[in-house]
């Protein structure tokens, strides 16, 4: 299977009758704005982590097209189960900077209300969100609702039993579920090709899922394919899987040094397929972008960056004492000792 591509790396548009998409100036500008905002937010969060304001950050750099193209193809009431790197998708759902950062500052397990945004909390236990999404989709099916469920996950997480159980379970139960894999080529330091012998979209076919392969750095292709597949699922066509081929341009997390396990020429190669630059090339060619629009988006990005810095620093120092008492009904001696150590540590702070 060749990945569906509508926009070549040089910004040339090649229509594909199987995946119709009306490429208007408004659509391109909307995607350009959303991807630019996501990238700026990601940059700012990285800087905040390096300054000691966040405990950890996992960048979405390079994966903006896969996320923006897909989430904008869904309805606002379609429930989404993300993994932990879906910041561009979260921003599209209206989740705020403060809500996105609170978890990484260590203040809470999650910063937003999943019911409000129809966007579940981030899941760091690999593939745990796939059975959650499958079960949720079974509920949607039994309610007779016309919403669909989408679950985001990475290539590496598909080695987990939960992922494969979910593929089979969803296919057997014919639930309204879209499995969306961002194959960014790496699972920390393990490359995708050493993690599986058959590509994921082929494995998905074996489970009885409708499966598609798309260029994940082509926002137009991702949007066209996800729109068509989402409507097919909504119409009762059963679950499907989309494998979006993209690239994790940064390290796995701020605790990782990709220079220890991958060659910089790989990044250079993928930089020529940057999702934002590619869309911009099309927009320049078609006259969809001018200095006034660029300035407008740059202004919005600067405002988001400033707000991100401000809200992050305003988040209070976390009081995690409650974690020691809220999990078990009766405090064990070990837990009591850990709580005392924590309280002594906090009491030792000068300020
Ligand atoms: C069950 C489980 N095992 C191991 C880990 C440690 N871990 C965190 S992220 C990661 C790699 C995941 O790679 P992938 O699914 O491709 O997602 P990506 O980080 O590339 O977006 C691993 C092994 C974990 N979080 N959960
Ligand atoms: Mg990966």
């Amino acid at each position: 299977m060749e990945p569906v591509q509508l926009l070549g790396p040089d910004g040339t548009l090649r229509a594909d009758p199987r995946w119709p998409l009306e490429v208007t100036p408004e659509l391109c500008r909307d995607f350009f704005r959303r991807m630019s905002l996501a990238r700026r937010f990601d940059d700012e969060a990285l800087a905040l982590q390096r300054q000691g304001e966040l405990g950890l950050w996992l960048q979405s750099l390079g994966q903006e097209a896969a996320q923006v193209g897909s989430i904008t193809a869904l309805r606002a009431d379609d429930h989404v189960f993300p993994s932990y790197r879906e910041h561009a998708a979260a921003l599209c759902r209206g989740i705020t900077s403060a809500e996105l950062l609170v978890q990484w500052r260590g203040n809470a397990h999650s910063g937003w209300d999943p019911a409000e945004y129809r966007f579940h909390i981030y899941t760091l236990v690999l593939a745990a969100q796939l059975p959650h999404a499958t079960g949720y989709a079974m509920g949607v099916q039994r309610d007779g609702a016309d919403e669909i469920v989408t679950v985001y996950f990475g290539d590496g997480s598909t080695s987990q039993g939960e992922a494969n159980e979910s593929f089979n379970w969803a296919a057997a139960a014919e639930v309204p579920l879209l499995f969306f894999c961002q194959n960014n080529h790496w699972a920390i330091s393990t490359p995708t090709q050493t993690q599986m012998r058959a590509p994921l979209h082929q494995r998905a076919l074996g489970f009885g899922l409708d499966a598609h392969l798309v260029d994940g750095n082509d926002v137009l292709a991702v949007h066209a394919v996800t729109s068509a597949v989402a409507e097919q699922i909504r119409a009762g066509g059963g679950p499907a899987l989309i494998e979006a081929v993209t690239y994790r341009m940064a390290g796995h997390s701020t605790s990782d040094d990709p220079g220890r396990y991958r060659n910089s020429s790989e990044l250079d190669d993928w930089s020529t397929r940057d999702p934002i630059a590619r869309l911009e090339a099309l927009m320049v060619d078609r006259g969809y972008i001018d200095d006034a629009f660029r300035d407008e988006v740059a202004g919005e990005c600067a405002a988001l960056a400033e707000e991100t810095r401000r809200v992050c620093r305003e988040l209070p120092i976390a009081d995690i004492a409650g974690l020691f008492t809220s999990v078990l009904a009766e405090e064990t001696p070990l837990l009591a000792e850990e709580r005392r150590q924590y309280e002594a540590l906090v009491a030792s702070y000068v300020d």
Side-chain angles (χ1 to χ4, degrees):
M1 212 187 270
E2 278 299 303
V4 177
Q5 186 183 78
L6 302 182
L7 190 57
D10 60 352
T12 314
L13 191 62
R14 275 183 246 105
D16 183 336
R18 291 170 305 163
W19 306 105
L21 181 70
E22 205 189 333
V23 182
T24 62
E26 293 72 31
L27 186 75
C28 293
R29 286 188 198 127
D30 183 56
F31 287 157
F32 181 82
R33 171 182 271 120
R34 289 179 190 278
M35 292 198 292
S36 301
L37 283 166
R39 186 163 291 187
R40 186 56 190 270
F41 170 74
D42 192 50
D43 262 1
E44 215 54 45
L46 172 69
L48 285 163
Q49 196 283 335
R50 294 299 189 218
Q51 291 162 12
E53 299 286 350
L54 298 176
L56 182 75
W57 186 247
L58 293 103
Q59 290 191 260
S60 53
L61 180 66
Q63 299 181 212
E64 296 89 350
Q67 296 181 22
V68 169
S70 56
I71 194 128
T72 55
L74 305 175
R75 251 176 25 194
D77 62 341
D78 288 337
H79 208 97
V80 171
F81 287 79
S83 183
Y84 44 71
R85 205 187 285 288
E86 276 64 65
H87 319 311
L91 289 171
C92 287
R93 275 286 167 104
I95 294 176
T96 66
S97 299
E99 288 170 328
L100 267 162
L101 297 186
V102 70
Q103 169 175 15
W104 308 101
R105 196 157 160 100
N107 288 31
H109 289 307
S110 176
W112 61 89
D113 175 359
E116 181 187 348
Y117 296 106
R118 314 284 294 157
F119 196 87
H120 201 72
I121 62 173
Y122 277 164
T123 300
L124 277 78
V125 179
L126 293 179
Q129 74 275 25
L130 280 84
H132 297 165
T134 307
Y136 194 97
M138 291 177 81
V140 167
Q141 183 184 49
R142 280 155 178 72
D143 284 348
D146 75 340
E147 67 197 65
I148 69 162
V149 181
T150 298
V151 57
Y152 287 96
F153 53 99
D155 44 285
S157 75
T158 70
S159 293
Q160 290 288 320
E162 283 100 323
N164 299 282
E165 289 161 19
S166 301
F167 298 153
N168 187 56
W169 187 15
E174 299 180 303
V175 295
L177 176 57
L178 171 59
F179 291 102
F180 194 94
C181 177
Q182 290 172 83
N183 177 353
N184 63 8
H185 287 80
W186 291 92
I188 312 186
S189 56
T190 305
T192 310
Q193 67 268 22
T194 65
Q195 184 117 208
M196 57 190 87
R197 287 289 162 263
L200 180 66
H201 57 279
Q202 281 183 17
R203 195 195 321 166
L205 289 172
F207 279 108
L209 294 168
D210 181 32
H212 303 278
L213 184 65
V214 63
D215 180 340
N217 281 17
D218 172 354
V219 69
L220 301 179
V222 173
H223 191 71
V225 171
T226 311
S227 300
V229 171
E231 286 326 302
Q232 179 188 306
I233 296 171
R234 203 181 305 285
L241 180 143
I242 296 175
E243 178 179 351
V245 183
T246 181
Y247 191 71
R248 195 196 75 205
M249 295 181 85
H252 170 71
S253 74
T254 47
S255 304
D256 178 43
D257 173 9
R260 293 172 70 95
Y261 55 81
R262 72 182 187 188
N263 204 313
S264 64
S265 63
E266 192 180 288
L267 179 61
D268 296 342
D269 184 37
W270 278 94
S271 298
T272 64
R273 285 174 262 180
D274 183 292
I276 302 181
R278 189 191 290 203
L279 180 66
E280 192 173 357
L282 171 78
M283 293 170 76
V284 168
D285 185 50
R286 299 231 162 161
Y288 292 171
I289 192 163
D290 57 15
D291 286 346
F293 179 71
R294 278 203 183 87
D295 289 350
E296 191 182 308
V297 173
E300 287 175 36
C301 287
L304 177 65
E306 196 183 319
E307 181 189 307
T308 301
R309 288 192 295 276
R310 182 180 58 76
V311 296
C312 179
R313 295 193 175 114
E314 279 174 10
L315 288 169
I317 300 285
D319 176 13
I320 60 167
L323 295 186
F324 293 93
T325 50
S326 61
V327 176
L328 300 178
E330 276 179 37
E331 198 174 44
T332 62
L334 179 62
L335 212 48
E337 176 54 25
E338 288 178 347
R339 180 175 52 74
R340 275 193 291 277
Q341 283 181 14
Y342 172 72
E343 286 165 356
L345 175 73
V346 173
S348 74
Y349 291 160
V350 176
D351 178 3

